[in-house]
């Protein structure tokens, strides 16, 4: 146990800054494009991203089979090759599937697993506690709880999270896609300020750093990884003005990328940039024509595209 606790503490020191929740690229025939996935990972690392996750919300996990989710994790782990921490999403609405995927993440050598609060089921707080505690007790991998009440219809309450932190040494942090800034403040108050707090709300990525957050897991970093990473670097270096400037500089891009359900606008943007085929699996689909025009103009304004393209 002492060895494991040391391992958990080591990853807590490394898993910080801009963690990109990578999209899952598809070919025109809807098959996963594993070569493009590798190219996207290189794009991220070339632009300073501090860590990578796959098969989180931006990775369309509910559109993938269990087998595909494992393949995506394995392909990403091989491509990253230890250059930055790797924390794939292993959560599901099904407890046994979550256990299976979290064990697979442990087997392939992931640095941590990001486990979403189960969606659709709407479990109560005691059920959430039992779900996460069972996973943490069974799989000796660092775990980041992923709380996104806007998609799950359930909020992981601070008291429940604090119980899990107290009882499970491998639950090392939380991704809070929670617009309630009072809530996220209380996470650090009750879970301890060494608990890793990541923002999953783009406009709160900088404010969470100010209260002691560890970083962000922002879909925008798929499109603009350099500036998202630079914001964290500036904060870490004490250049508050630069970090604030980047926060506001990213705001327009953040806004347009969330005018439709993530990751549809992100995939549209990456398609316009020539990074991927802008394909989503049903029931998801690309944004409407008006939003695509707005995304295109925003990319032009950010210097990601030329005006005539």
């Amino acid at each position: 146990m002492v060895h494991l606790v040391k391992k958990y503490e080591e990853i807590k020191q490394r898993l910080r800054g801009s963690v990109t929740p990578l999209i899952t690229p598809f070919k025109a025939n809807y098959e996963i494009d594993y070569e493009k996935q590798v190219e996207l990972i290189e794009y991220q690392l070339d632009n300073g991203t501090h860590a990578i996750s796959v098969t989180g919300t931006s990775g369309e996990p509910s559109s993938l089979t269990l087998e595909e989710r494992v393949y995506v994790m394995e392909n990403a782990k091989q491509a990253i090759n230890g250059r930055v921490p790797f924390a794939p999403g292993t959560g599901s609405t099904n407890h046994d599937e979550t256990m299976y995927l979290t064990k697979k993440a442990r087997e392939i050598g992931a640095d941590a697993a990001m486990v979403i609060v189960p969606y659709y089921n709407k479990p109560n707080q005691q059920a959430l506690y039992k779900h996460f505690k069972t996973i943490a007790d069974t799989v000796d991998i660092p775990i980041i709880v992923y709380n996104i009440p806007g998609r799950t219809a359930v909020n992981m309450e601070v008291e429940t999270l604090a119980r899990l932190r107290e009882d499970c040494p491998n639950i090392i942090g939380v991704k809070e896609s929670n617009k309630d800034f009072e809530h996220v403040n209380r996470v650090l108050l009750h879970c301890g300020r060494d608990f890793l707090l990541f923002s999953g709300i783009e406009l709160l990525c900088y404010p969470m750093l100010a209260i002691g957050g560890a970083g962000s897991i922002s879909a925008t970093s798929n499109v603009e990884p350099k500036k998202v990473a630079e914001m964290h670097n500036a904060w870490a270096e004490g250049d508050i003005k630069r970090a604030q400037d980047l926060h506001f500089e990213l705001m327009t891009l953040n806004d347009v990328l969330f005018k439709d359900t993530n990751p549809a606008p992100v995939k549209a943007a990456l398609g316009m940039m020539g990074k991927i085929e802008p394909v989503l699996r049903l029931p998801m689909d690309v944004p409407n024509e008006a939003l695509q025009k707005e995304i295109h103009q925003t990319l032009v304004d950010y210097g990601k595209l030329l005006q005539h393209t």
Side-chain angles (χ1 to χ4, degrees), residues 27-220:
K27 300 177 182 179
N29 64 1
Y30 301 101
E31 293 180 357
I32 296 172
D33 193 332
Y34 292 102
E35 291 183 5
K36 286 292 183 185
Q37 184 191 26
V38 172
E39 291 176 10
L40 291 173
I41 288 170
E42 293 303 321
Y43 174 62
Q44 290 294 319
L45 299 184
D46 287 346
N47 282 278
T49 291
H50 303 111
I52 289 177
S53 180
V54 296
T55 60
T57 302
S58 300
E60 298 173 76
S62 59
S63 297
L64 306 177
T65 67
L66 278 179
E67 184 178 57
E68 286 176 328
R69 289 185 67 170
V70 173
Y71 288 158
V72 167
M73 289 194 294
E74 290 176 338
N75 194 54
K77 176 63 171 64
Q78 183 175 4
I80 295 165
N81 195 28
R83 289 176 287 175
V84 296
F86 175 51
T90 61
S92 165
T93 193
N94 180 288
H95 178 76
D96 288 343
E97 288 182 359
T98 302
M99 291 282 286
Y100 171 77
L101 290 167
T102 306
K103 288 176 181 177
K104 284 294 183 182
R106 169 69 175 81
E107 289 173 11
I108 68 174
D111 297 285
M114 187 170 63
V115 182
I116 195 169
V117 169
Y119 40 92
Y120 183 77
N121 294 329
K122 297 182 70 173
N124 62 35
Q125 295 299 305
Q126 179 60 18
L128 284 178
Y129 173 83
K130 290 172 69 175
H131 172 69
F132 279 94
K133 188 173 188 303
T134 302
I135 297 163
D137 287 349
T138 305
V139 190
D140 62 342
I141 188 173
I143 290 173
I144 305 291
V145 175
Y146 180 11
N147 188 30
I148 180 168
R151 287 212 173 193
T152 64
V154 174
N155 186 46
M156 169 74 79
E157 299 295 344
V158 173
E159 294 78 6
T160 307
L161 192 59
R163 282 181 68 197
L164 287 166
R165 196 277 157 89
E166 178 69 23
D167 296 343
C168 308
N170 55 329
I171 293 184
I172 62 171
V174 61
K175 175 185 177 181
E176 282 286 357
S177 293
N178 195 325
K179 293 184 178 181
D180 184 345
F181 201 57
E182 289 188 16
H183 170 96
V184 297
N185 276 268
R186 296 187 189 283
V187 166
L188 289 183
L189 177 66
H190 293 285
C191 294
R193 289 167 64 184
D194 64 331
F195 196 62
L196 300 184
L197 173 65
F198 294 95
S199 176
I201 298 292
E202 276 60 26
L203 295 192
L204 294 182
C205 291
Y206 173 75
M208 280 201 198
L209 293 176
I211 63 169
S216 65
I217 306 176
S218 164
T220 300

